[in-house]
Amino acid sequence: MILKNTLVTRNSFNNFILPFYNPPSFIPIKGKGSRIWDQQGKEYVDFSGGIAVTSLGHCHPLLNKVLNYQSKKIWHTSNIFTNEPALRLAKKLVLSSFASHVFFANSGAEANEAAFKLARYYATKKYDVKKNNIISFYNSFHGRTLFTVSVGGQSKYSDFFGPKPLGIQHAEFNKIETVKNIINKNTCAIVLELIQGEGGIIPASKSFVRELRCLCNKYNALLIFDEVQTGIGRTGKLFAYEHYGIEPDILTIAKSLGSGFPISAMLTTSKIQSVITPGIHGTTYGGNPLACAIAEATINIINTKNILSGVKQKLKRILFELNIINKRFKLFTEIRGMGLLIGIVLESKFVKKIHDILHFSFLEGVIFLTAGKNVIRMAPSLIISESDIVEGMNRFYRALKKF
Ligand SMILES: *Cc1c(COP(=O)(O)O)cnc(C)c1O
């Protein structure tokens, strides 16, 4: 084998990898469906889904087949050419959404960066150079490039990196008055997550989204939905905006789109497409054949009645188990979210111990995420089996007992 199978441990992380993260001591080396195994062969039920990415579980056999097939045809050509998987994937996204055109990139941040640049470019070309203000929301998360992290509403992520891009204003999520107070003719876009993900699994209310749509129409501003976390089946519909009955002008998706193979997309309408000419934006890897083939297969599998309606069933089962847990431990005050993007809002006495709860869960063999300071987040595979749900929840019960 060309890979050397020398043993590496968690210590290597401290020695060789920049500590932007602080991973737990175990190292996953294998995944199948909703289960993960570490170096010691210990097995875990995975409710993290790679942060809402592995919506078809780990190593789905059909995706492995597609990956293998495409890897023998062609991996990468750059965007000086187009390619068959990208063309098929774009057509599929257009046919199943509000959009008429698609741009492919490699991460959520890049799709949002493209969306924000496009909103400004469109307003500048069509109206006025001064029309460049973007309104976003406190507590929101849009990625880690300097532009996207500045548009994001958590200054702890954007402070200390020097001057921030100008022309960004923040309003209060679900409080339309705070938007009305700052929107004006120089607003080029309003951007929001329909469910604030990293911020704590907080859904936007229907009336809020409807009023944002009206404000955007009134002020000739574009409405941008960041569906990086909610898109591609996570909420039980292909896109979360379908629950709201409101269409954006620009939509971004990433996480679930590639099942773990990096790919993202920005979708928009022909009205906006009309200002675009070759060269004003670009990417080397975006829309490469390997990523697009996997994304196409991912959508083919997820965008079926069976899987989308299954989301509701699985949520029901998880809620049933969580309520049993809550009877015993008085763990949470509320469950928030939509479909299989689930936020467990902790009772105040548990908030400071959230990382201990996760740690005890790891020890018992079940994996969760956090969101915000006081929420345990679950974003499991959309096809997690009932027995995996029950086993994972039993382990969670035992973890809480020991904790
Ligand atoms: C994860 C996430 C991003 C950033 O995606 P990356 O692939 O990490 O760049 C942006 N927006 C939302 C809503 C996200 O959840």
Side-chain angles (χ1 to χ4, degrees), residues 107-109 112 141-143 193 198 226 228-229 255:
S107 67
N112 284 332
F141 184 80
H142 299 295
E193 299 157 87
E198 306 300 312
D226 176 348
V228 166
Q229 191 153 168
K255 289 190 166 86

Side-chain angles (χ1 to χ4, degrees), residues 21 51-52 106-112 140-145 148 192-193 195-198 226-230 252 254-255 263-264 377:
Y21 296 95
I51 315 188
N106 311 288
S107 67
E110 278 179 68
N112 284 332
S140 65
F141 184 80
H142 299 295
R144 298 289 199 134
T145 65
T148 56
L192 74 155
E193 299 157 87
I195 303 170
Q196 287 193 335
E198 306 300 312
D226 176 348
E227 288 220 39
V228 166
Q229 191 153 168
T230 54
T252 55
K255 289 190 166 86
I263 179 171
S264 65
R377 172 174 34 164

Side-chain angles (χ1 to χ4, degrees), residues 20-290:
F20 289 126
Y21 296 95
N22 180 24
S25 56
F26 67 92
I27 301 178
I29 58 166
K30 196 179 98 173
K32 187 94 199 101
S34 289
R35 307 264 177 151
I36 279 180
W37 287 263
D38 71 13
Q39 289 176 309
Q40 282 70 41
K42 181 175 166 184
E43 171 259 306
Y44 303 79
V45 181
D46 181 15
F47 285 101
S48 72
I51 315 188
V53 168
T54 52
S55 285
L56 292 169
H58 298 280
C59 301
H60 191 288
L62 291 178
L63 296 181
N64 278 359
K65 221 178 223 174
V66 169
L67 176 62
N68 202 1
Y69 169 81
Q70 187 61 41
S71 76
K72 288 174 185 151
K73 288 190 83 176
I74 195 161
W75 292 18
H76 173 82
T77 57
S78 90
N79 285 302
I80 61 172
F81 305 101
T82 188
N83 67 74
E84 290 180 351
L87 293 169
R88 285 199 303 263
L89 175 61
K91 183 173 175 188
K92 187 164 292 288
L93 287 167
V94 164
L95 288 178
S96 44
S97 75
F98 73 100
S100 69
H101 290 79
V102 178
F103 167 76
F104 292 118
N106 311 288
S107 67
E110 278 179 68
N112 284 332
E113 180 90 16
F116 304 157
K117 281 179 70 181
L118 179 57
R120 282 185 168 177
Y121 191 84
Y122 177 77
T124 300
K125 286 276 162 176
K126 189 137 182 203
Y127 301 103
D128 188 298
V129 286
K130 290 208 232 56
K131 191 173 175 65
N132 59 37
N133 273 338
I134 295 172
I135 295 176
S136 72
F137 296 94
Y138 290 114
N139 209 33
S140 65
F141 184 80
H142 299 295
R144 298 289 199 134
T145 65
L146 191 57
F147 194 4
T148 56
V149 87
S150 305
V151 171
Q154 305 182 57
S155 58
K156 64 173 190 225
Y157 292 142
S158 56
D159 289 342
F160 308 111
F161 294 103
K164 299 177 194 183
L166 302 175
I168 298 164
Q169 294 170 292
H170 295 101
E172 302 245 355
F173 196 61
N174 280 334
K175 294 208 175 115
I176 197 70
E177 291 307 320
T178 66
V179 182
K180 286 183 179 162
N181 286 343
I182 55 176
I183 195 167
N184 61 41
K185 66 178 190 323
N186 289 334
T187 304
C188 71
I190 299 177
V191 56
L192 74 155
E193 299 157 87
L194 290 173
I195 303 170
Q196 287 193 335
E198 306 300 312
I201 317 295
I202 306 168
S205 75
K206 278 195 180 154
S207 59
F208 182 63
V209 177
R210 199 180 318 120
E211 297 206 60
L212 289 178
R213 180 70 271 178
C214 291
L215 284 175
C216 282
N217 294 349
K218 182 169 165 197
Y219 287 93
N220 291 320
L222 301 181
L223 184 59
I224 304 174
F225 290 163
D226 176 348
E227 288 220 39
V228 166
Q229 191 153 168
T230 54
I232 315 299
R234 177 59 41 196
T235 65
K237 299 217 185 257
L238 190 61
F239 303 105
Y241 78 79
E242 298 170 48
H243 293 283
Y244 288 82
I246 305 277
E247 292 183 349
D249 301 289
I250 299 177
L251 175 101
T252 55
I253 47 177
K255 289 190 166 86
S256 277
L257 180 60
S259 294
F261 201 102
I263 179 171
S264 65
M266 171 183 69
L267 282 60
T268 189
T269 62
S270 51
K271 175 180 96 174
I272 296 157
Q273 176 260 350
S274 66
V275 301
I276 294 178
T277 51
I280 66 165
H281 189 63
T283 157
T284 300
Y285 296 119
N288 70 78
L290 208 44

